[in-house]
Each structure stands twice: as C-alpha cells, then as structure tokens.
Amino acid sequence: EVVKSLNDLMDSVAIVGSGGATVSTEGKTITVAAAAPPVAGAVVLGVSGDTTLIGSGYTELFPAADGWTATAMTAGVPSVRSEHTAVWTGTKMIVWGGYGGTLLNTGGQYDPVSNSWTATSITGSVPSARYQHTAVWTGSKMIVWGGSDGTYLNTGGQYDPVGNSWSATAITAGVPSARSNHTAVWTGSKMIVWGGSGATYPVTGGLYDPGTNSWTATATTAGVPSGRVFHTAVWTGSKMIVWGGTDGTALNTGGQYDPAGNSWTATSVVGSVPSARRFHTAVWTGSRMIVWGGYDVTFAKTGGQYDPVGNSWTGTSITSGNVPVARQAHSAVWTGTKMVVWGGTNGAGSLLNTGGQYDPMSDSWTANPNTGNLPSGRADHTAVWTGTKMIIWGGYDEFGTYLNTGGQRTELSYFIKN
C-alpha cells in the first residue's frame, strides 16, 4: 500500500506487513498499519525527537530542523503589508489584500516545500483593494469578503489557485451589510460571516453558498450576541462560536450559532469565563474552543477552554513556567494536540517574536524554540498550520515598518515502526 502525505514532505510511504492496511486518525496522529498493534512499516506523525515514540521502536524519518526557516524573498513574493488574510490549501499558503502604505488587492501562493512564491492574479473579477477583510478556504477556492478601503465593503471574490482566476461574490438579496473586522468560518459547504464594524456594530451576518453564489441572512432572534468588533469565531463541525471583542467596552460574552436551525445560544458568563477582552485569539480543538491573550485595561496572558456541550469554562494555566508574556494582535494555530501562540505586542515599546505551546489536556505550557532564522517581532501578521508546520508571514514591526518576511517552523515529524 502507498499513502500520500498531507503536506508533501513525504511523497509516499510503503506500508510493509501482511493483510490489508488500515488508516486511523486521532488528533494530530495519522497511523497506517497492516495490523494492530502497529507492526513494521506503521507510520505516525509526532513531535520531533519524541522520546516515547523512539522508545516504542519508531525511527524518525524526517527530523525537524531545530528552529525556523525563513520564507523566500524571491520572485513572486507579495509586497509588504499587514491586516491581510492567509489560508492553507493543503499544499500552499495563500495571502491576499491588506495595507502596506497603500491598500492592496494583490497576494501570493507560498509553497513551503520549494520555499517559493507565485503571484495571485489581479485581472478579471479580482476584488477591489482592501484590508480588515476575511478569507476562508473551501477545499478548492479561497473566498475573501468585506473589509474596508476607507469605506466599508460588502463585496468579495472566489479565488481559484489552480486557474489563478477570480469570480465575484453576489451582492444580491441576503448579502450582509458592508463591514470590516468581522469574522468568517467555513462550514464545509458555506461561509458564515458575522459581526464587525459598519454603520453600527451589527448583530447580523450571512451564510454564503459559493456553489449557487447566494446569501442567506443569519438570525437576529433570542440568544444572538450583542454587536461587536475585534472578536473571534471558530467552527465546531456543527456550530459557529463567537466570543469577546468590543462594542466600545470590552466583552466576555458570545454565542453559539446553529446554521441548521438558524438559531443562537448564549455562551456562559459564569464560573471560569475569561475576563473581557479584544484582539485575542481562538482555536478549536475538536471538542473545545480555547481563547487566549488580548487586551482590555491591561494586556492578558490568561484564557479559557470553552465546552459548548456543557456551556462551561475552564481557565488556562498562568502558573506553569513557560506561559507566554501577555500580548495582543498575536497569532494562534491548533496542531492537533496543542495551541501554538506567537508574536504580537505587549505595549512595552517592542514587538514580540516569542510564544508558547499550550497543552489543554495537562493545562501546561512549553516554550517555542527560538533558534534558526527566527522571524523578527511583529503584530497583525498571519499564521497557518500545514499539518506539520506553522507558517507566519507579514505584519508590522516595532518601527511601524510593514513586512513581507516570515518563517516556517516544523512542529511534527514522520516516524516509522522498526
């Protein structure tokens, strides 16, 4: 049997053993084996240098480099910018839009294997230049929507990276009002946008179907969160959870939106709910939403795990030795077992290039290795998770200089059973 890797770090793996091969997945681990327990030839993903796997008779096939590898500055690299968007396609990162002294409707596809860029098209139905917009990946296309060019926008586009071409999103019945700094999630068939800043702080949103190029408005009935901006949103597999942000006053409220029932349920504000904040981050673990960092009166290094089934909160550790310093405008990705936060600002006159890995099972933090071609400190950058690597790109530095640099850091490696 031959199994294709998820990120092209390994073109194929030969599975050795008797009987038919089976594939099982749990968290970040993909196991391919002819029988259980794993036999010679079984392949898993694990943390580079994982002593448990090595002690269990596995050999690391592709040891992770100790530290960071800089993203290319060669032909096709997008111009400097911040407040842009980035999505991961399965093989490439696509960045688009933003502001770098001027508003932009340019971008690029970044291939982390070849460390090279290809510019995105600026012809045809390419959306107008903007920043503070959103982007989602559908499995075949990137959808960008909303944002600002000095006025609020309710336009967007679908980008096909294979054809390097654009088609416009509808502005017909059901399209949400113009806005920026809203949130967007992909459900598997539709994009849901909600909240943000427009003529007011709207409690409205919309479900966009790229197949029919049409919109359906989200409910504004009981349970809908109050209007807000600089909040976060995650997709659970059946619901969108929005939380935090500000309406002029920082918030620690939110809601679960069920697109099937077009209905809302408020998130709990009791127990270990995090303090009110904006410019924080949120990730979905598969069973819980983790929020962390941000700003209200002070910068935060606190957070919480939210269980949408129990509608309850558990606080994140602030006592473990490696908890990152407080910050806002940072980035966060979910690896399958840990949340990795990086960068941002704590208002101390410099931008951060530090972070940490949070394990929700043990409620503990591990410091990020800061070796190799560590990117410079920055905020309002983007980060994507490839399946084995975190890639950060763009943003601005402590001098207010816009950036088109970044880095990739391998978090997971392939191991094969001896």
Side-chain angles (χ1 to χ4, degrees):
E1 299 288 341
V2 175
V3 177
K4 293 292 184 183
S5 76
L6 294 181
N7 61 357
D8 288 346
L9 288 180
M10 176 171 60
D11 288 335
S12 62
V13 177
I15 305 304
V16 180
S18 60
T22 61
V23 179
S24 63
T25 64
E26 182 175 356
K28 72 185 178 187
T29 302
I30 300 175
T31 305
V32 184
V39 297
V43 176
V44 302
L45 277 171
V47 176
S48 183
D50 191 311
T51 55
T52 301
L53 285 173
I54 294 170
S56 299
Y58 286 85
T59 297
E60 190 170 2
L61 291 175
F62 299 97
D66 182 18
W68 293 82
T69 301
T71 55
M73 292 290 292
T74 51
V77 62
S79 59
V80 298
R81 65 193 68 198
S82 71
E83 296 185 274
H84 54 287
T85 51
V87 299
W88 177 247
T89 71
T91 58
K92 295 181 180 180
M93 173 182 71
I94 309 176
V95 300
W96 190 85
Y99 182 82
T102 59
L103 290 166
L104 301 163
N105 67 345
T106 58
Q109 300 184 45
Y110 175 69
D111 181 344
V113 177
S114 63
N115 193 20
S116 62
W117 291 91
T118 304
T120 58
S121 172
I122 54 171
T123 60
S125 297
V126 60
S128 59
R130 65 192 66 197
Y131 72 150
Q132 299 172 349
H133 55 288
T134 52
V136 299
W137 176 248
T138 70
S140 61
K141 294 182 180 181
M142 174 183 69
I143 308 175
V144 301
W145 190 84
S148 173
D149 63 1
T151 60
Y152 298 112
L153 301 168
N154 67 345
T155 57
Q158 299 185 45
Y159 175 69
D160 175 0
V162 176
N164 194 22
S165 60
W166 291 91
S167 58
T169 58
I171 53 172
T172 51
V175 63
S177 58
R179 64 193 66 192
S180 68
N181 288 311
H182 51 287
T183 50
V185 299
W186 176 248
T187 70
S189 61
K190 295 180 181 180
M191 173 181 70
I192 310 177
V193 300
W194 189 84
S197 178
T200 61
Y201 295 120
V203 297
T204 57
L207 288 86
Y208 175 70
D209 182 340
T212 59
N213 194 22
S214 62
W215 290 91
T216 304
T218 57
T220 57
T221 50
V224 64
S226 59
R228 64 195 62 201
V229 69
F230 306 132
H231 55 289
T232 51
V234 300
W235 176 248
T236 71
S238 61
K239 295 181 181 180
M240 173 182 70
I241 309 175
V242 300
W243 190 84
T246 181
D247 59 4
T249 301
L251 302 165
N252 68 343
T253 58
Q256 300 184 44
Y257 175 69
D258 178 358
N262 194 21
S263 60
W264 288 91
T265 304
T267 58
S268 173
V269 293
V270 298
S272 299
V273 59
S275 58
R277 65 194 66 198
R278 57 198 186 273
F279 300 121
H280 55 286
T281 50
V283 299
W284 177 248
T285 71
S287 61
R288 295 186 178 187
M289 173 182 71
I290 308 176
V291 300
W292 190 82
Y295 180 82
D296 182 12
V297 179
T298 60
F299 295 93
K301 63 174 182 179
T302 57
Q305 300 184 45
Y306 175 68
D307 175 0
V309 177
N311 195 18
S312 60
W313 290 90
T314 304
T316 58
S317 173
I318 57 171
T319 57
S320 62
N322 292 308
V323 61
V325 298
R327 66 192 67 199
Q328 69 167 8
H330 53 288
S331 57
V333 299
W334 176 249
T335 70
T337 60
K338 294 181 181 180
M339 173 182 70
V340 183
V341 301
W342 190 87
T345 177
N346 62 4
S350 63
L351 279 292
L352 302 167
N353 63 352
T354 59
Q357 301 177 39
Y358 176 70
D359 181 346
M361 296 297 291
S362 62
D363 187 30
S364 62
W365 289 89
T366 304
N368 284 339
N370 287 334
T371 56
N373 290 301
L374 177 67
S376 58
R378 63 193 66 201
D380 282 341
H381 55 285
T382 50
V384 299
W385 176 248
T386 72
T388 61
K389 296 182 178 183
M390 175 177 69
I391 308 175
I392 64 99
W393 191 83
Y396 67 89
D397 67 15
E398 62 190 279
F399 305 107
T401 302
Y402 298 107
L403 304 168
N404 65 346
T405 57
Q408 48 174 311
R409 205 191 88 76
T410 300
E411 302 285 344
L412 302 179
S413 295
Y414 290 97
F415 292 79
I416 188 167
K417 182 70 173 179
N418 298 332

